[in-house]
Amino acid sequence: MKTRSLAIALILTLAACGQPDATKAQDGVFSNNRVVPGDAGAVKSSFAPVVRAAAPAVVNISAIGMQQTRDPFWGIPGQRQTGSVGSGVIVRADGVVVTNNHVIEGMQQIRVTLNDRREYSARVVLADARSDIAVLQLEGVNERLPVLNIDDREEQEVGDLVLAIGNPFGVGQTVTNGIISALNRTETGISDSGSFIQTDAAINPGNSGGALVDLDGDLIGINTAIFSRSGSSSGVGFAVPASMVKRVVDSAVGGAKTVVRPWLGVKGDTVTGDLARSLGLDRPQGLVVTDVYAGSPGARAGLRQGDVITAIDGAEVNDQSGLNFRVGTHAPNESVEIAVLRDGRPVTLNARVQALPGDADVDRATLIRSGILSGAQVLALNPALADSLGGDPFATGVIIGGVQRGSYANRVGLRGGDIVVAVNGRTVSSVQQLAEVPRGSELVIDRGGQRISGVVR
């Protein structure tokens, strides 16, 4: 664990006031070198040294794009200019910048302004919508730029002081402070594979892509979202942890155009109180494995149905999103340590995670030309394809990639994204099974997780 740098006068003041040894849990002083303010002098201490070190690497981003439009009366197509304003962080001295994907998505011109008012054009190197992280390269950089160190060791604890640096409302660079309110937030609705740092440091529109830094001045997260009824800060903000930020940056710098997320090949359910009692656990914890994909890394590591996964590489896991995130911070072929409860006993397993099997290329879709599915473009599901479409990698069947207007498939109400699960009571696993399905057949489809069945006339 890294030692606190004592970068701010807060710690120095407490030390000068004769506080007890920081390794003892007494008189307001706790282990891990974490110290609460002990007097009025400590409260008056300044974050200025941290800000001076970190702020030069935080930038403002303005982007311009063109949106396709259609006249509501005459139906004439056209274009209108759109814009986006956000923040970013320089993470390499040659001008590599990290921001949120939603700041630059759909934009054609990106302008980055440094804290000292220097301006650069930027191009997108890699944009990962799933993590909402994008990597930019500043153009025309002829000198070393200030950077923030990415601290991906995840040594933060709830209650640690943090600073949020960004460009709220486009007013210019602004610093706010707060604490880490929670870690490993997964049930946010932001992402199916996100595990966020929650903070009460004020984050507002325009802060997106800005830095969440610790008191060593290291980047521990990229501010990405807020919960608010008004659109302004309500003290509930979320940042993408540095471990995922580093994963995306490493992919971009390594020349990748996409972030290849490995998988463990297991899925499960959150352990509830009732489930914990039925499993003989003393408290609800972990993810109980309900399925293991044949030949997957999890299967080869020895995971079984009924195992309770409690941690990956020492980080607590309590739901599927948390598991996806922890595995997703690794590159394919890296090893992960899995803490498991099996029949109430702790077991440690090691797995070498791999890229999802199968072909994720949606351009290989087959157009059905006859039968009740005529006009539908279909693909047989595999884990890589299902995952790329935002679905369950364990899903089977044939997915409809698109439906031609005016076709029979269109008239009977089939939609892109529907998964044909069965025809006339027979499970569907290949495109060939759908080549000439006659009228009067019974279809079972999965639409957004809901099963729909009926006879198509």
Side-chain angles (χ1 to χ4, degrees):
M1 177 177 291
K2 70 180 180 183
T3 302
R4 296 291 174 185
S5 67
L6 309 186
I8 65 166
L10 170 64
I11 305 299
L12 296 175
T13 303
L14 287 173
C17 291
Q19 292 292 319
D21 191 294
T23 61
K24 298 177 182 178
Q26 59 183 11
D27 298 330
V29 183
F30 299 88
S31 60
N32 300 323
N33 297 324
R34 287 172 167 81
V35 186
V36 298
D39 56 30
V43 174
K44 293 179 182 178
S45 298
S46 174
F47 295 109
V50 182
V51 176
R52 279 198 299 270
V58 181
V59 301
N60 296 342
I61 296 175
S62 58
I64 297 174
M66 300 302 295
Q67 185 179 56
Q68 300 298 318
T69 63
R70 185 173 293 275
D71 186 282
F73 297 103
W74 307 107
I76 301 173
Q79 290 184 328
R80 69 179 180 88
Q81 183 172 291
T82 61
S84 175
V85 176
S87 306
V89 181
I90 305 173
V91 294
R92 283 173 57 107
D94 59 354
V96 174
V97 172
V98 175
T99 186
N100 280 145
N101 178 68
H102 73 258
V103 172
I104 55 85
E105 188 173 22
M107 300 294 150
Q108 284 80 47
Q109 299 176 38
I110 302 172
R111 197 75 179 166
V112 173
T113 305
L114 274 59
N115 190 33
D116 61 7
R117 297 189 178 183
R118 283 180 290 173
E119 293 188 2
Y120 295 90
S121 295
R123 59 180 175 85
V124 178
V125 180
L126 190 155
D128 184 53
R130 195 160 176 179
S131 64
D132 198 18
I133 294 294
V135 180
L136 312 178
Q137 175 64 59
L138 303 187
E139 298 180 328
V141 176
N142 298 315
E143 57 186 310
R144 293 181 62 83
L145 299 179
V147 301
L148 272 183
N149 174 58
I150 302 177
D151 180 3
D152 65 337
R153 290 176 287 185
E154 296 191 345
E155 296 172 341
Q156 297 80 33
E157 294 184 12
V158 174
D160 280 355
L161 288 166
V162 290
L163 304 179
I165 310 176
N167 181 28
F169 302 109
V171 300
Q173 191 175 90
T174 302
V175 181
T176 57
N177 81 286
I179 64 169
I180 293 177
S181 305
L183 295 167
N184 304 318
R185 285 294 196 212
T186 55
E187 297 179 358
T188 61
I190 302 171
S191 168
D192 67 342
S193 59
S195 182
F196 298 91
I197 300 171
Q198 182 182 329
T199 178
D200 68 347
I203 298 173
N204 288 291
N207 271 116
S208 290
L212 188 70
V213 302
D214 62 13
L215 296 192
D216 290 323
D218 291 335
L219 181 71
I220 62 170
I222 293 293
N223 299 320
T224 191
I226 59 174
F227 276 175
S228 173
R229 290 186 173 90
S230 65
S232 299
S233 176
S234 297
V236 184
F238 298 97
V240 178
S243 55
M244 180 56 74
V245 175
K246 187 174 187 299
R247 175 81 175 87
V248 179
V249 170
D250 288 347
S251 297
V253 172
K257 297 304 179 185
T258 60
V259 178
V260 179
R261 284 179 172 78
W263 79 326
L264 193 58
V266 300
K267 66 176 181 178
D269 295 327
T270 297
V271 176
T272 62
D274 290 339
L275 189 54
R277 284 188 289 273
S278 69
L279 294 171
L281 304 179
D282 58 355
R283 65 180 180 88
Q285 61 173 321
L287 180 80
V288 60
V289 175
T290 58
D291 202 355
V292 181
Y293 197 88
S296 67
R300 293 195 297 271
L303 280 167
R304 312 171 187 169
Q305 288 185 4
D307 285 346
V308 178
I309 300 174
T310 58
I312 299 290
D313 293 330
E316 186 176 289
V317 168
N318 285 307
D319 55 27
Q320 188 71 48
S321 292
L323 176 67
N324 294 345
F325 174 82
R326 290 296 162 194
V327 173
T329 60
H330 289 269
N333 298 316
E334 288 185 351
S335 180
V336 299
E337 183 182 88
I338 311 165
V340 172
L341 290 176
R342 177 174 292 168
D343 299 325
R345 294 178 291 105
V347 177
T348 300
L349 302 174
N350 289 282
R352 188 170 296 280
V353 295
Q354 302 288 339
L356 281 80
D359 188 351
D361 184 10
V362 297
D363 293 333
R364 61 183 181 84
T366 299
L367 177 64
I368 302 296
R369 299 185 181 279
S370 60
I372 61 175
L373 293 175
S374 62
Q377 295 176 320
V378 297
L379 304 94
L381 279 176
N382 59 65
L385 176 61
D387 184 70
S388 71
L389 296 173
D392 178 6
F394 282 70
T396 59
V398 173
I399 189 167
I400 297 178
V403 178
Q404 292 181 336
R405 294 183 64 181
S407 66
Y408 193 83
N410 178 233
R411 291 198 300 272
V412 299
L414 293 175
R415 307 174 187 171
D418 286 347
I419 299 172
V420 183
V421 177
V423 175
N424 295 326
R426 296 183 61 186
T427 300
V428 171
S429 59
S430 70
V431 171
Q432 288 72 25
Q433 292 175 264
L434 302 180
E436 294 186 4
V437 178
R439 298 185 184 185
S441 296
E442 181 184 28
L443 288 185
V444 178
I445 65 171
D446 183 308
R447 177 174 292 167
Q450 181 181 3
R451 289 291 175 100
I452 303 173
S453 63
V455 176
V456 181
R457 304 293 181 185

